[in-house]
Amino acid sequence: MADIFVIDTRLQSIQIVAKDKYNDEWHVRLEEVPEDVATNLQKLRVVPDEEATDQDIYCLMCEKFKHPFCKEHPFYHIGDRVRSDTRPDEPRSYYTCPLFFKIRPSPLHGLGIFASYDLPAGLFFGPYEGLKTTKEKADRSGYAWEIATEEGTMYIDASDPKKSNWLRYINCAPNETLQNMKAITYCGRIYYYIFRPVKTKEELLLAKMGGVESKVDVEAVRKEVNSHPVVMFSKSHCGYCVKAKDLLANEKIEFKERDLDAMKAESPKEHQSFVNGLVYTTRITGVPQIFICGKLIGGYTELAALAEGKTLLDKVSECAKEHD
């Protein structure tokens, strides 16, 4: 009897189960395990560290290299999206992005990839695409990978949005706590995978290269969010930030805005540690981030829900007197 790939909602991960073990209560069916994959899994073996190559995959849970991959903690590959005829002028890096992600401004760096739904561990993406380049050019690029192959070292640069795919927009996490993705070299190419469950609206963040963590200024964030009854963190080109400001203005609610782009221009060093502290505090990298009485209520959607439910003014009034 054939096995199938499923999302196990209890474990929040990809699993391979026999058809007779499928349970409608906690399994979400993806597809039947392809015949060639099933054949390879019958030959599954643990590979000693000293013998491992880029055709073997390291399982974080088992802490062992396995070939072709770990059946207990499997990967499920998600390919790039094909071009849409409705947006012929969209750069390749945009239209290749799977539909359950959104490309949006990130407080960490430029644009980022955000989940539209809760996603399980084990989703596997790639390969990372770009143009072959030299070491000198790769060192100057923020989008290049160095890949060791049997023929020598190769450099892939995704600086050009028209010649790369959506993986170029995945940012590095400022600290280990926020990491939800890892990169591996597999068969001479770079792939990314989700190693822990990702929540809706959470940004995909890669393990920081080189293992060097940035300063995280949580105390500065705490002081800022308690400096006014309503504090909003925004970015210059953010449509939902504009909507949130308009809503608060219409409700005649005063608020304090901190534009993270303006902060970066004024003091880059303080900006990075502050943003790291903000992301560490909220576990959110999108904007706007709105605090009422020192507590995060969410973004524009949550703010609009409070206004529609006629509870926004009451929530603000809880601490407004303390700031008078």
Side-chain angles (χ1 to χ4, degrees):
M1 183 174 290
D3 292 336
I4 53 178
F5 280 108
V6 301
I7 298 173
D8 189 314
T9 57
R10 300 167 306 168
L11 302 174
Q12 295 181 285
S13 66
I14 299 295
Q15 296 290 311
I16 294 177
V17 299
K19 282 187 177 180
D20 61 346
K21 299 295 184 181
Y22 180 83
N23 189 306
D24 286 327
E25 283 189 47
W26 56 74
H27 287 151
V28 178
R29 181 190 175 101
L30 295 174
E31 67 170 341
E32 189 171 302
V33 176
E35 187 176 344
D36 60 328
V37 175
T39 300
N40 286 331
L41 282 174
Q42 291 176 2
K43 306 171 186 176
L44 189 148
R45 61 189 175 90
V46 175
V47 182
D49 290 4
E50 63 274 12
E51 297 177 14
T53 70
D54 73 352
Q55 295 185 35
D56 309 312
I57 290 181
Y58 185 76
C59 176
L60 284 174
M61 301 296 291
C62 299
E63 298 185 333
K64 295 177 180 178
F65 282 99
K66 296 189 179 183
H67 184 88
F69 57 81
C70 182
K71 189 174 181 179
E72 288 72 33
H73 311 104
F75 288 152
Y76 183 74
H77 184 250
I78 303 291
D80 288 353
R81 188 158 58 100
V82 299
R83 180 184 288 277
S84 169
D85 293 335
T86 59
R87 295 183 177 180
D89 298 327
E90 201 170 42
R92 192 174 191 285
S93 58
Y94 262 74
Y95 74 71
T96 52
C97 185
L99 291 173
F100 44 84
F101 293 126
K102 290 183 179 178
I103 301 174
R104 290 171 33 199
S106 166
L108 295 176
H109 174 75
L111 297 174
I113 300 292
F114 296 80
S116 299
Y117 309 95
D118 289 354
L119 298 174
L123 293 182
F124 189 71
F125 310 96
Y128 187 89
E129 295 186 354
L131 299 175
K132 288 185 179 181
T133 188
T134 64
K135 182 182 186 304
E136 291 71 25
K137 291 182 179 179
D139 288 342
R140 295 194 297 268
S141 170
Y143 297 92
W145 275 103
E146 177 182 337
I147 307 172
T149 68
E150 292 181 358
E151 292 75 30
T153 302
M154 176 175 65
Y155 300 91
I156 297 295
D157 184 15
S159 294
D160 187 346
K162 297 179 181 178
K163 304 291 184 180
S164 55
N165 62 352
W166 65 282
L167 294 176
R168 75 187 297 276
Y169 296 113
I170 295 178
N171 290 314
C172 288
N175 57 71
E176 186 176 341
T177 305
L178 299 174
Q179 297 169 7
N180 50 36
M181 297 200 86
K182 290 188 181 291
I184 61 170
T185 304
Y186 180 66
C187 295
R189 309 291 294 275
I190 296 293
Y191 291 82
Y192 292 177
Y193 70 93
I194 294 175
F195 71 87
R196 68 163 176 79
V198 173
K199 296 296 184 183
T200 302
K201 297 184 179 180
E202 184 177 351
E203 183 174 0
L204 299 187
L205 293 174
L206 198 62
K208 192 171 182 67
M209 300 303 101
V212 179
E213 296 190 356
S214 304
K215 182 180 178 182
V216 180
D217 197 344
V218 175
E219 182 60 24
V221 174
R222 188 191 67 79
K223 289 180 179 178
E224 191 66 50
V225 301
N226 285 286
S227 65
H228 194 276
V230 182
V231 178
M232 180 193 306
F233 297 99
S234 65
K235 295 194 79 174
S236 301
H237 304 288
C238 166
Y240 282 107
C241 298
V242 174
K243 287 186 176 183
K245 287 186 281 187
D246 288 345
L247 189 155
L248 290 169
N250 290 336
E251 295 285 337
K252 296 181 172 53
I253 296 175
E254 294 184 1
F255 63 95
K256 181 178 182 180
E257 180 185 6
R258 288 304 305 269
D259 186 319
L260 298 177
D261 286 335
M263 185 189 296
K264 183 177 183 180
E266 294 168 5
S267 51
K269 290 184 179 179
E270 288 77 7
H271 161 267
Q272 191 58 64
S273 60
F274 185 90
V275 167
N276 291 348
L278 180 63
V279 174
Y280 185 85
T281 300
T282 65
R283 300 297 191 270
I284 300 171
T285 58
V287 287
Q289 293 189 31
I290 304 167
F291 289 76
I292 295 180
C293 297
K295 296 180 180 179
L296 177 72
I297 62 128
Y300 169 74
T301 302
E302 291 75 17
L303 182 70
L306 288 174
E308 187 175 346
K310 308 298 183 184
T311 58
L312 179 57
L313 289 173
D314 291 339
K315 201 165 190 67
V316 174
S317 67
E318 290 177 9
C319 66
K321 291 181 179 179
E322 299 174 11
H323 292 269
D324 289 342

